[in-house]
Amino acid sequence: MTKYQKVIEDIKNRITNGIWAEGFLLPSEFELCSMYDVSRITIRRALEELSDAGYVVRMHGKGTFATRPMQFRSGNSALGFSQHLKQSGIDVTSRLCIDEKIEATQEIRKELLLKDSEEEVWHFRRLRIIKGIPIAVMDTYVRLETSELMHSYDLEKDSFFSIYTRIYEKNIGKNIFSISAVIPKKEITRLLKMKEISAGILLESTAYLEDGMPIQYDKSIFNPAYYKFTVSEGGNITPTFL
């Protein structure tokens, strides 16, 4: 485990164990450098990944605050984003922005249950659009063996969930979510046409085939001006286009 990964795990543990409760102002970057005996570059990289994962919110001029992703299960786990909205009579279009092989982070390795020999994954970034409005940016990570088979499909028109079903001849068994607020990176705010300091909704999820195999890890940022999620008493979430 690298230095920045050790920092990430320790801060995660402090937040999930309530040592740094939601809303807690984290020590400054300088104080964290001294606390963990690492460089400022290492701290910034760790905080950036923690922000992406929804464990902290970084606010310009104010500092970094602890938050805690809430875990939910989708109301219909067999349906993906576009499939769910299609059932509601809403058409979603996609633009494939990134289609590349990358080194798997510790977080991705954990969610996809990668073997030690699996050092890389495939990264897809899609801009999801409804009625001409950019609604969400979805970063999806899959195993290389899965990505090779996916590239024979239309990745802008076909639902990823339906692609997995056709490839493996198995349905999606469950899809576990966490929801939190984040300040998106500049490239995300540009795609969503949001103000740079505006908060977005981070929906982090891991989808599993019915045999229990994790098939994709996804981190999506939604524009809250056009999209919301309703949580039922039983813990299911329902997405709604505003």
Side-chain angles (χ1 to χ4, degrees), residues 113-124:
L113 300 179
L114 298 182
K115 301 174 183 176
D116 292 340
S117 58
E118 297 176 291
E119 298 179 352
E120 297 175 314
V121 292
W122 206 270
H123 171 213
F124 299 104

PDB file of all heavy atoms in Angstrom, residues 113-124:
ATOM      1  N   LEU A 113     -13.324  -6.476  -6.749  1.00  0.00           N
ATOM      2  CA  LEU A 113     -12.713  -7.712  -6.237  1.00  0.00           C
ATOM      3  C   LEU A 113     -11.651  -8.233  -7.208  1.00  0.00           C
ATOM      4  O   LEU A 113     -11.636  -9.412  -7.581  1.00  0.00           O
ATOM      5  CB  LEU A 113     -13.785  -8.792  -5.995  1.00  0.00           C
ATOM      6  CG  LEU A 113     -14.880  -8.442  -4.983  1.00  0.00           C
ATOM      7  CD1 LEU A 113     -15.874  -9.595  -4.864  1.00  0.00           C
ATOM      8  CD2 LEU A 113     -14.287  -8.110  -3.623  1.00  0.00           C
ATOM      9  N   LEU A 114     -10.756  -7.344  -7.607  1.00  0.00           N
ATOM     10  CA  LEU A 114      -9.727  -7.721  -8.569  1.00  0.00           C
ATOM     11  C   LEU A 114      -8.672  -8.624  -7.935  1.00  0.00           C
ATOM     12  O   LEU A 114      -8.357  -8.493  -6.744  1.00  0.00           O
ATOM     13  CB  LEU A 114      -9.043  -6.467  -9.129  1.00  0.00           C
ATOM     14  CG  LEU A 114      -9.925  -5.487  -9.912  1.00  0.00           C
ATOM     15  CD1 LEU A 114      -9.072  -4.329 -10.422  1.00  0.00           C
ATOM     16  CD2 LEU A 114     -10.630  -6.175 -11.065  1.00  0.00           C
ATOM     17  N   LYS A 115      -8.120  -9.502  -8.730  1.00  0.00           N
ATOM     18  CA  LYS A 115      -7.017 -10.349  -8.289  1.00  0.00           C
ATOM     19  C   LYS A 115      -5.727  -9.533  -8.280  1.00  0.00           C
ATOM     20  O   LYS A 115      -5.646  -8.467  -8.899  1.00  0.00           O
ATOM     21  CB  LYS A 115      -6.862 -11.548  -9.230  1.00  0.00           C
ATOM     22  CG  LYS A 115      -8.099 -12.438  -9.326  1.00  0.00           C
ATOM     23  CD  LYS A 115      -7.901 -13.510 -10.378  1.00  0.00           C
ATOM     24  CE  LYS A 115      -9.146 -14.369 -10.545  1.00  0.00           C
ATOM     25  NZ  LYS A 115      -8.988 -15.361 -11.641  1.00  0.00           N
ATOM     26  N   ASP A 116      -4.704 -10.031  -7.588  1.00  0.00           N
ATOM     27  CA  ASP A 116      -3.428  -9.326  -7.532  1.00  0.00           C
ATOM     28  C   ASP A 116      -2.844  -9.117  -8.924  1.00  0.00           C
ATOM     29  O   ASP A 116      -2.157  -8.126  -9.182  1.00  0.00           O
ATOM     30  CB  ASP A 116      -2.429 -10.100  -6.665  1.00  0.00           C
ATOM     31  CG  ASP A 116      -2.820 -10.099  -5.196  1.00  0.00           C
ATOM     32  OD1 ASP A 116      -3.614  -9.226  -4.802  1.00  0.00           O
ATOM     33  OD2 ASP A 116      -2.345 -10.982  -4.449  1.00  0.00           O
ATOM     34  N   SER A 117      -3.098 -10.058  -9.822  1.00  0.00           N
ATOM     35  CA  SER A 117      -2.550  -9.978 -11.172  1.00  0.00           C
ATOM     36  C   SER A 117      -3.296  -8.975 -12.057  1.00  0.00           C
ATOM     37  O   SER A 117      -2.799  -8.587 -13.123  1.00  0.00           O
ATOM     38  CB  SER A 117      -2.599 -11.359 -11.847  1.00  0.00           C
ATOM     39  OG  SER A 117      -3.927 -11.852 -11.894  1.00  0.00           O
ATOM     40  N   GLU A 118      -4.479  -8.535 -11.620  1.00  0.00           N
ATOM     41  CA  GLU A 118      -5.278  -7.582 -12.398  1.00  0.00           C
ATOM     42  C   GLU A 118      -4.928  -6.163 -11.961  1.00  0.00           C
ATOM     43  O   GLU A 118      -5.509  -5.623 -11.028  1.00  0.00           O
ATOM     44  CB  GLU A 118      -6.767  -7.859 -12.214  1.00  0.00           C
ATOM     45  CG  GLU A 118      -7.212  -9.220 -12.723  1.00  0.00           C
ATOM     46  CD  GLU A 118      -8.669  -9.510 -12.450  1.00  0.00           C
ATOM     47  OE1 GLU A 118      -9.021  -9.694 -11.261  1.00  0.00           O
ATOM     48  OE2 GLU A 118      -9.455  -9.534 -13.405  1.00  0.00           O
ATOM     49  N   GLU A 119      -3.983  -5.559 -12.655  1.00  0.00           N
ATOM     50  CA  GLU A 119      -3.473  -4.247 -12.266  1.00  0.00           C
ATOM     51  C   GLU A 119      -4.155  -3.095 -12.986  1.00  0.00           C
ATOM     52  O   GLU A 119      -4.056  -1.941 -12.549  1.00  0.00           O
ATOM     53  CB  GLU A 119      -1.963  -4.184 -12.524  1.00  0.00           C
ATOM     54  CG  GLU A 119      -1.164  -5.203 -11.722  1.00  0.00           C
ATOM     55  CD  GLU A 119       0.318  -5.136 -12.016  1.00  0.00           C
ATOM     56  OE1 GLU A 119       0.707  -4.395 -12.955  1.00  0.00           O
ATOM     57  OE2 GLU A 119       1.085  -5.805 -11.298  1.00  0.00           O
ATOM     58  N   GLU A 120      -4.846  -3.398 -14.087  1.00  0.00           N
ATOM     59  CA  GLU A 120      -5.481  -2.336 -14.875  1.00  0.00           C
ATOM     60  C   GLU A 120      -6.959  -2.627 -15.085  1.00  0.00           C
ATOM     61  O   GLU A 120      -7.401  -3.774 -15.004  1.00  0.00           O
ATOM     62  CB  GLU A 120      -4.783  -2.200 -16.234  1.00  0.00           C
ATOM     63  CG  GLU A 120      -3.327  -1.771 -16.127  1.00  0.00           C
ATOM     64  CD  GLU A 120      -2.638  -1.754 -17.476  1.00  0.00           C
ATOM     65  OE1 GLU A 120      -2.792  -2.725 -18.235  1.00  0.00           O
ATOM     66  OE2 GLU A 120      -1.928  -0.759 -17.771  1.00  0.00           O
ATOM     67  N   VAL A 121      -7.709  -1.569 -15.335  1.00  0.00           N
ATOM     68  CA  VAL A 121      -9.137  -1.683 -15.639  1.00  0.00           C
ATOM     69  C   VAL A 121      -9.436  -0.769 -16.823  1.00  0.00           C
ATOM     70  O   VAL A 121      -8.589   0.013 -17.255  1.00  0.00           O
ATOM     71  CB  VAL A 121     -10.021  -1.271 -14.437  1.00  0.00           C
ATOM     72  CG1 VAL A 121      -9.883  -2.257 -13.297  1.00  0.00           C
ATOM     73  CG2 VAL A 121      -9.689   0.149 -13.993  1.00  0.00           C
ATOM     74  N   TRP A 122     -10.672  -0.873 -17.339  1.00  0.00           N
ATOM     75  CA  TRP A 122     -11.081   0.019 -18.416  1.00  0.00           C
ATOM     76  C   TRP A 122     -12.000   1.094 -17.853  1.00  0.00           C
ATOM     77  O   TRP A 122     -12.855   0.819 -17.014  1.00  0.00           O
ATOM     78  CB  TRP A 122     -11.802  -0.738 -19.526  1.00  0.00           C
ATOM     79  CG  TRP A 122     -11.663  -0.001 -20.839  1.00  0.00           C
ATOM     80  CD1 TRP A 122     -12.492   0.947 -21.344  1.00  0.00           C
ATOM     81  CD2 TRP A 122     -10.588  -0.132 -21.772  1.00  0.00           C
ATOM     82  NE1 TRP A 122     -12.009   1.419 -22.543  1.00  0.00           N
ATOM     83  CE2 TRP A 122     -10.843   0.773 -22.835  1.00  0.00           C
ATOM     84  CE3 TRP A 122      -9.448  -0.920 -21.829  1.00  0.00           C
ATOM     85  CZ2 TRP A 122      -9.989   0.907 -23.928  1.00  0.00           C
ATOM     86  CZ3 TRP A 122      -8.604  -0.797 -22.921  1.00  0.00           C
ATOM     87  CH2 TRP A 122      -8.879   0.112 -23.952  1.00  0.00           C
ATOM     88  N   HIS A 123     -11.757   2.313 -18.307  1.00  0.00           N
ATOM     89  CA  HIS A 123     -12.508   3.471 -17.823  1.00  0.00           C
ATOM     90  C   HIS A 123     -13.326   4.072 -18.957  1.00  0.00           C
ATOM     91  O   HIS A 123     -12.798   4.440 -19.996  1.00  0.00           O
ATOM     92  CB  HIS A 123     -11.522   4.516 -17.279  1.00  0.00           C
ATOM     93  CG  HIS A 123     -12.147   5.835 -16.944  1.00  0.00           C
ATOM     94  ND1 HIS A 123     -11.472   7.029 -17.093  1.00  0.00           N
ATOM     95  CD2 HIS A 123     -13.386   6.152 -16.475  1.00  0.00           C
ATOM     96  CE1 HIS A 123     -12.259   8.020 -16.730  1.00  0.00           C
ATOM     97  NE2 HIS A 123     -13.423   7.523 -16.353  1.00  0.00           N
ATOM     98  N   PHE A 124     -14.642   4.145 -18.741  1.00  0.00           N
ATOM     99  CA  PHE A 124     -15.545   4.823 -19.667  1.00  0.00           C
ATOM    100  C   PHE A 124     -16.095   6.063 -18.969  1.00  0.00           C
ATOM    101  O   PHE A 124     -16.522   5.982 -17.810  1.00  0.00           O
ATOM    102  CB  PHE A 124     -16.740   3.933 -20.037  1.00  0.00           C
ATOM    103  CG  PHE A 124     -16.386   2.650 -20.733  1.00  0.00           C
ATOM    104  CD1 PHE A 124     -16.413   1.444 -20.045  1.00  0.00           C
ATOM    105  CD2 PHE A 124     -16.029   2.636 -22.079  1.00  0.00           C
ATOM    106  CE1 PHE A 124     -16.107   0.247 -20.677  1.00  0.00           C
ATOM    107  CE2 PHE A 124     -15.721   1.448 -22.723  1.00  0.00           C
ATOM    108  CZ  PHE A 124     -15.753   0.248 -22.027  1.00  0.00           C
TER     109      PHE A 124
END
